[in-house]
Amino acid sequence: PDDRRIDIADLFAHVNACRRDGYAFTHGIQVRSGGIIAVLLPPRPHQRRLVLGIAGGADVLETREAEFSRLLLAAVERYAQT
């Protein structure tokens, strides 16, 4: 159906925002009222790429996006130093 098509311009805008901000924030994709803020951890030799995220109600994530994204980006920095 047409409502399941992806708008390429929107997709690239989201990808560019993730690259700019260092994290991804999606909501209403899998669960209408849910979402996730996630970061990609730096690669390690002989290990699969890992993602760290905070999932929950979209309203809470939207309200606390700045706080949660700072925590996740700080965790990436700590992970990179180990």
Side-chain angles (χ1 to χ4, degrees):
D2 289 344
D3 64 339
R4 292 183 51 114
R5 290 189 179 181
I6 296 172
D7 182 302
I8 297 299
D10 287 345
L11 175 64
F12 278 108
H14 186 74
V15 168
N16 288 330
C18 293
R19 289 177 175 160
R20 178 194 68 227
D21 300 337
Y23 67 92
F25 178 25
T26 61
H27 50 86
I29 294 177
Q30 296 296 326
V31 177
R32 189 172 309 213
S33 62
I36 187 165
I37 300 173
V39 293
L40 182 64
L41 294 174
R44 295 267 172 96
H46 313 292
Q47 180 178 322
R48 293 181 185 209
R49 295 301 302 262
L50 299 173
V51 174
L52 180 64
I54 299 173
D59 54 340
V60 174
L61 294 175
E62 287 173 359
T63 302
R64 299 177 66 186
E65 178 180 358
E67 173 190 358
F68 290 155
S69 62
R70 276 194 309 272
L71 289 169
L72 288 167
L73 292 170
V76 169
E77 289 300 317
R78 286 191 305 275
Y79 179 85
Q81 294 173 4
T82 61

